[in-house]
Amino acid sequence: MTNTNLLNIAKNAMKKSYCPYSGFRVGAALLCEDDIVFTGCNIENGAYSPSNCAERTAFFKAISEGYTKFEKIAIVGGHNGKFQNFCYPCGVCLQVMNEFCDSDFLIILIDENNNIIEKKLNCFLPFGFNL
Ligand code: THU
């Protein structure tokens, strides 16, 4: 699965975002072993704290379906679905990745000029907490 394909899947997932409070749509596409992809979008809540990020939606869908080997994730996001800057994953999502992924798990991001970042998880979170 190429990064471009995975980013396109993430862009489609972004359309499903439920974000009436922030207006910030995020989509994620998580590549598991055997070329299986799980998508995710952010899902907000009027009580705010029950909201879930797109990345964690994708991870929790995959894990709850029995997929636990992960290669890479593509993430896109922006106000009203127009992505401009890279949508870096938040610290909570990085910690979830730290729980389930090796340090060479790849995070792929794109900006409005089609610049692509592909970096390892340990670049974003070099000292993740582990029990
Ligand atoms: N959001 C994500 O889905 N992923 C991130 O990595 C950062 C933020 C969502 C949460 C919220 O619904 C909206 O973006 C604005 O913070």
Side-chain angles (χ1 to χ4, degrees):
M1 169 83 53
T2 66
N3 288 348
T4 308
N5 284 344
L6 205 60
L7 282 161
N8 283 335
I9 296 170
K11 284 178 200 168
N12 256 326
M14 185 170 65
K15 296 178 192 156
K16 309 261 173 52
S17 163
Y18 175 75
C19 58
Y21 306 104
S22 72
F24 194 91
R25 291 182 178 275
V26 186
L30 174 63
L31 181 66
C32 310
E33 67 177 356
D34 300 333
D35 253 18
I36 308 279
V37 177
F38 283 87
T39 59
C41 62
N42 56 329
I43 304 168
E44 298 183 346
N45 189 282
Y48 291 173
S49 67
S51 301
N52 204 51
C53 289
E55 299 90 319
R56 277 177 290 143
T57 302
F59 267 93
F60 296 158
K61 282 171 67 179
I63 292 157
S64 62
E65 294 295 329
Y67 291 85
T68 55
K69 298 260 191 300
F70 303 114
E71 283 182 30
K72 53 185 175 179
I73 190 168
I75 309 162
V76 294
H79 287 286
N80 304 315
K82 283 210 169 296
F83 59 95
Q84 297 177 313
N85 303 317
F86 297 113
C87 182
Y88 295 106
C90 79
V92 173
C93 289
L94 289 174
Q95 185 61 31
V96 168
M97 294 176 201
N98 177 74
E99 182 74 27
F100 293 105
C101 304
D102 297 331
S103 55
D104 62 354
F105 176 74
L106 289 171
I107 296 172
I108 298 140
L109 311 171
I110 191 167
D111 72 5
E112 63 179 340
N113 299 317
N114 286 327
N115 296 309
I116 291 175
I117 287 179
E118 183 200 75
K119 284 194 183 298
K120 292 179 180 177
L121 173 58
N122 70 352
C123 171
F124 289 86
L125 189 68
F127 301 106
F129 175 78
N130 288 299
L131 268 186

